[in-house]
Amino acid sequence: MAVTDSISVFAEGTFEEQIQELVFYIVRNQDEERSVLLRPFQDAFKTENEKKSLAEDTERRQNIFAMVMAEVKGLGDGSDKEIEGFFNLLFSHVLSLHSYDSPKTKEYVTQLLGTVTSAPAQHTAIKYRILSNFFNALPRTSPLRYLVYNSLLETALSNDGVEVLQLSRAEVEKWLSEWDISPEEKSTFLKSVVDAYAKSGQPTTSYEYSLLYVRSLPATSETAKAAALDVIATALRLPFTFDFDPLFKLDAVVAAKGHDLFSLLQVFLNGGLSEFKAWQQSHSGVLEKFDLEVTQLERKIRLLTLASLGFQKVGQNVPYSKIAETLQVDASEVEKWVIDVIRAGLLSGKLSQTTQSLHIMRSTARTFEREQWEVLEKRMLAWKAGLAGVLEVVASARRQNGVHGIATSA
């Protein structure tokens, strides 16, 4: 269930008719108390000669609506359509009677959001509808959107899981650029998204939002330091995360360069199995502290090392013996590791048991710095030379055919 662009919620009838509709809904199943509850509203609607009419008296309308809000205790006993209409009308009055940035508006919105989110689970579908309607009725810059979407996240986590919201990183980044909220609130919202995906059993998506969260924090703050270490550990822990270069573009991560985890991250960006084992020997207890498993890390560093070897040898045949030496494994295990690295999407190639070699067709670079650009330059020059040779062969063939054609016609 995805929210859409801002829309308007229209309410028909006069203010008095709309308030009566709200009150009648509230008291519909309270036969004994109905007259008691209705009487204060009937009195409030009366206009004495010396008073302004209800349509002209904003303060009076605000007071009457405050009386309605005091009676809103839950979703009520109507059908889903009636419940949706009831809350649409409530939100409409909140936004029409008070400015978007007034404390009273925030108070009412917070009250209504709490009423909706605390409703029983059997009303989950209508809860999504109500919250989505209100989100879409708000201007794109409204800070209230921040509050409403947090309620949507809370509802999703309590019921179907966050995937029902069909959230995307691009959408979140766009919202944060639009919402008129503080940097601290933006960071808080991103953290709530990170936690929501983690609790929904989607650690990879949670990690992707963690990058946005860390980027949103002041790099030298204590919160940023803790978040940077957490995102490094998460990246190392996730079995199918092999691209560590984005982490080095985060100021908070770079600011943690004196930490043991940062030096381990550098190994996974540029080093191999030997460097990992050397780091492990000199940093006893660090892996356990951050819930990192040696076996899993060794697997990742071997796959990354094989990918780096492949990047250097694109278009070439690499002997099994060279792969075994690089990965520090027995030659009999080479094919298993090659299959693993291909499945991970880090490399493409063909194994040959006859020649005991791997022909590299494509491989992923772990980072793109001077060394990788030089390799790419050499490869491009080689391809250019090869294409020049092909063009020369074609041109030569055309010349020969041209000469042959003239001789035949003569």
Side-chain angles (χ1 to χ4, degrees), residues 162-217:
V162 73
E163 62 275 4
V164 73
L165 300 178
Q166 300 177 24
L167 199 57
S168 71
R169 280 187 60 180
E171 197 170 36
V172 169
E173 290 182 278
K174 183 179 180 182
W175 288 341
L176 292 179
S177 70
E178 295 171 339
W179 295 349
D180 185 18
I181 58 178
S182 68
E184 293 76 17
E185 287 174 317
K186 291 180 181 181
S187 297
T188 300
F189 178 73
L190 286 170
K191 186 62 166 65
S192 68
V193 176
V194 170
D195 293 342
Y197 276 105
K199 292 175 183 176
S200 292
Q202 300 182 55
T204 301
T205 305
S206 176
Y207 166 71
E208 292 172 356
Y209 283 102
S210 292
L211 299 177
L212 296 179
Y213 169 61
V214 174
R215 186 180 296 119
S216 73
L217 297 168

Side-chain angles (χ1 to χ4, degrees), residues 56-88:
E56 298 173 323
D57 195 338
T58 301
E59 182 179 357
R60 193 167 150 214
R61 293 199 307 275
Q62 290 174 342
N63 291 335
I64 292 173
F65 183 70
M67 294 167 60
V68 175
M69 288 294 295
E71 300 299 330
V72 178
K73 310 296 185 184
L75 298 188
D77 298 319
S79 65
D80 282 359
K81 185 176 180 180
E82 289 172 320
I83 294 172
E84 182 180 358
F86 176 71
F87 278 91
N88 284 349

Side-chain angles (χ1 to χ4, degrees), residues 111-310:
Q111 176 188 338
L112 292 174
L113 293 178
T115 300
V116 173
T117 55
S118 62
Q122 65 262 30
H123 294 295
T124 297
I126 192 58
K127 287 160 69 172
Y128 284 134
R129 289 283 300 276
I130 293 169
L131 295 173
S132 295
N133 287 344
F134 187 42
F135 184 92
N136 295 328
L138 292 166
R140 299 195 68 87
T141 59
S142 174
L144 297 175
R145 280 194 157 196
Y146 162 69
L147 297 177
V148 178
Y149 209 88
N150 274 332
S151 295
L152 275 165
L153 282 174
E154 180 183 341
T155 302
L157 280 176
S158 301
N159 298 279
D160 308 300
V162 73
E163 62 275 4
V164 73
L165 300 178
Q166 300 177 24
L167 199 57
S168 71
R169 280 187 60 180
E171 197 170 36
V172 169
E173 290 182 278
K174 183 179 180 182
W175 288 341
L176 292 179
S177 70
E178 295 171 339
W179 295 349
D180 185 18
I181 58 178
S182 68
E184 293 76 17
E185 287 174 317
K186 291 180 181 181
S187 297
T188 300
F189 178 73
L190 286 170
K191 186 62 166 65
S192 68
V193 176
V194 170
D195 293 342
Y197 276 105
K199 292 175 183 176
S200 292
Q202 300 182 55
T204 301
T205 305
S206 176
Y207 166 71
E208 292 172 356
Y209 283 102
S210 292
L211 299 177
L212 296 179
Y213 169 61
V214 174
R215 186 180 296 119
S216 73
L217 297 168
T220 57
S221 67
E222 291 301 318
T223 302
K225 292 178 184 178
L229 296 180
D230 184 65
V231 78
I232 292 173
T234 300
L236 294 170
R237 193 182 302 121
L238 290 172
F240 297 105
T241 296
F242 297 99
D243 184 9
F244 300 100
D245 201 36
L247 291 171
F248 289 88
K249 295 178 173 61
L250 299 176
D251 292 340
V253 170
V254 175
K257 60 184 178 181
H259 196 277
D260 294 338
L261 270 188
F262 185 86
S263 60
L264 177 59
L265 184 63
Q266 288 180 307
V267 170
F268 275 79
L269 185 70
N270 296 307
L273 185 61
S274 298
E275 288 80 3
F276 171 68
K277 290 183 175 180
W279 180 93
Q280 185 184 358
Q281 290 177 357
S282 60
H283 295 82
S284 176
V286 176
L287 298 184
E288 291 79 3
K289 179 180 178 181
F290 290 93
D291 194 26
L292 296 168
E293 297 182 2
V294 175
T295 303
Q296 186 182 68
L297 293 177
E298 286 184 350
R299 172 186 173 273
K300 289 185 75 167
I301 197 65
R302 280 191 168 100
L303 294 179
L304 289 167
T305 302
L306 182 50
S308 295
L309 175 63

